[in-house]
Amino acid sequence: MNFTHAVAQAWEAGKLFHIDLNDQAFGRYDQDLRFGAVNLKSAFFLVKFLEEVGYTGSRHFDAHAYRTEDIQGVKDFARVVCART
């Protein structure tokens, strides 16, 4: 089962109230990479699913800026996250 299937199962059970949108490399835990950074195809199908079922709950981008030199770097990271979704 992939993540989109797990989300679909939660939706079908009526238990999808909130979703964190981020990405991570397989085999690692809680990396909080930018949504679609590792697997853009998986990110696309997750958003497609949420749109098709009419999900209106909260969507939270749970990602951390990679390496930033200052506050402007954090703002640049956030701008890219928002532009990709």
Side-chain angles (χ1 to χ4, degrees):
M1 180 185 312
N2 66 31
F3 184 67
T4 303
H5 289 141
V7 171
Q9 188 175 21
W11 172 261
E12 187 66 27
K15 297 187 182 234
L16 185 64
F17 305 105
H18 172 270
I19 190 164
D20 285 337
L21 300 173
N22 63 16
D23 210 348
Q24 66 184 39
F26 179 76
R28 298 190 177 191
Y29 176 73
D30 201 22
Q31 292 173 311
D32 294 335
L33 301 176
R34 186 179 65 235
F35 186 57
V38 175
N39 191 335
L40 189 57
K41 184 177 179 181
S42 177
F44 169 80
F45 282 112
L46 177 58
V47 171
K48 182 178 185 302
F49 169 78
L50 294 172
E51 292 295 316
E52 287 181 354
V53 298
Y55 175 73
T56 59
S58 175
R59 297 177 193 193
H60 176 246
F61 291 100
D62 182 19
H64 298 270
Y66 298 135
R67 294 182 186 168
T68 58
E69 56 286 343
D70 56 19
I71 191 65
Q72 186 59 46
V74 174
K75 290 178 181 179
D76 292 342
F77 174 83
R79 190 175 302 109
V80 170
V81 168
C82 291
R84 289 190 77 169
T85 58

